[in-house]
Structure formats: C-alpha cells, structure tokens
Amino acid sequence: MELLDVILIAAGALVVLGLAAGIWFVTAMTGMRRLSATVDERWDALAATLERRRAVAAPLLATAPEAQQQQAAQAFSSLDAASQPQSKAEAEAEVQRVLRPLVQAAGSQPLGSDAAEARTALAALDDEAQARRRDYNTGARELNAKGRRYPSSMWANTFGVPREFFEVDQAGAVAEPPRIQF
C-alpha cells in the first residue's frame, strides 16, 4: 500500500466521522428544539386552563360578599399577570385559597342551581389542570434531563433549560379540612 492510498483512506475516514458527528449534533439540536416546543405548548395549555377558572367561578362569586369578591379579583389578577411557573403556582394557590369557602358553601346548594353547577365545573377544571400540570412537569423534567446530556447541553441555554416545575403548595388544603355538617 502506497502512502497516497493511506492518506486517502485516512481522509475518507475523517470525512465519514465528521459527517456522523454533524448528523449527531443536528439530530440532538432538532430533538431539543422539538421537546422545547412541546413543553411550551404544554405550558400554554396549563396557563389557559388556569385562567378559565375565572369564568367558571363567576356564579359562585356573584353570591359572595364584597370583600371576598375583591380578594378573588386580586387573586385572579395576579394569576393573569404571572408568567413563570413559580409565580403562576403561587397565584394559583391563592386562587384556590379564596375559592375554597365558596366551593364548600356551594355544596349545600340544591342540585341544578348555578352554584352547584359551578362547583361541578370547578371540580372538572381542577382535574384538567392537574392533568395538564403533570404533562407540563413531565415535559420539563425530560427537557431538563436532555439538556444535561452531551451534545444537547451545548444548546440548553438557547432553549431555556432548565425549566421550572409548576408545583402548587397544597399546605392550605391540608391545614383547612372541609367542614361537614349533618
């Protein structure tokens, strides 16, 4: 084997390795971009679900005292203004704290009343919000894990990694159990 043949084989091997590395990097970046877009979509769906609560809670708020209506308006305003998961979670916890007495009071209303229907709709909306929260947190966890691995770690900052988790503090729910009257 001549020297020229060895040089051509080595150059060919380097070209093949370079192409393989390039494909690997492009594939990693594309996967990171796709996962980031999925997490963004899940966040938007979660935020929209949380913000729909105002319309669903309107019948409950209509019968509430003025002070409670003002507290609810402030809580919903802070929920609308929050854009990051941590601040949105804190605002969501406040909305839940404000609505809890109204939902409990609606439990004593007769079936078919606006308050009872609003309570049922809020329960369904809470279930949907929990499912969307789990979806978002799962996507954020996957994106954060992928952002720690090479070569995706090279583009992690471009895609906003690490992402915060959306975790609502349930301490208020445990501290104030519902009162049941017979």
Side-chain angles (χ1 to χ4, degrees):
M1 209 190 248
E2 294 184 27
L3 181 61
L4 183 59
D5 290 339
V6 171
I7 292 175
L8 287 176
I9 290 173
L14 288 176
V15 167
V16 168
L17 284 175
L19 284 174
I23 290 171
W24 184 39
F25 281 111
V26 169
T27 302
M29 188 170 80
T30 303
M32 191 80 162
R33 181 182 305 131
R34 188 178 315 118
L35 187 55
S36 178
T38 301
V39 171
D40 289 341
E41 289 171 8
R42 290 175 179 180
W43 171 251
D44 292 341
L46 173 61
T49 301
L50 295 176
E51 290 165 3
R52 279 196 330 239
R53 183 171 286 142
R54 181 187 304 238
V56 172
L60 293 177
L61 291 171
T63 61
E66 183 66 31
Q68 218 167 13
Q69 288 180 0
Q70 288 177 352
Q71 283 180 332
Q74 289 174 344
F76 280 118
S77 294
S78 64
L79 183 65
D80 291 342
S83 61
Q84 297 299 313
Q86 184 63 33
S87 59
K88 189 76 104 175
E90 291 169 3
E92 170 63 11
E94 180 64 18
V95 167
Q96 287 180 2
R97 188 192 65 73
V98 169
L99 290 181
R100 187 174 300 115
L102 298 173
V103 170
Q104 289 174 352
S108 63
Q109 299 294 320
L111 291 175
S113 67
D114 288 343
E117 289 179 9
R119 180 180 184 193
T120 303
L122 277 174
L125 194 63
D126 284 343
D127 292 343
E128 181 183 348
Q130 285 186 10
R132 294 196 184 276
R133 176 187 55 82
R134 281 190 301 271
D135 286 345
Y136 168 76
N137 284 342
T138 299
R141 188 175 299 107
E142 290 172 10
L143 183 64
N144 291 346
K146 191 169 194 164
R148 287 189 298 268
R149 289 185 296 237
Y150 186 80
S152 299
S153 61
M154 295 171 46
W155 301 287
N157 290 339
T158 306
F159 298 109
V161 174
R163 298 283 176 99
E164 294 179 10
F165 294 111
F166 182 84
E167 298 173 331
V168 177
D169 179 24
Q170 296 292 331
V174 175
E176 276 183 53
R179 295 181 198 121
I180 300 173
Q181 299 176 352
F182 293 99

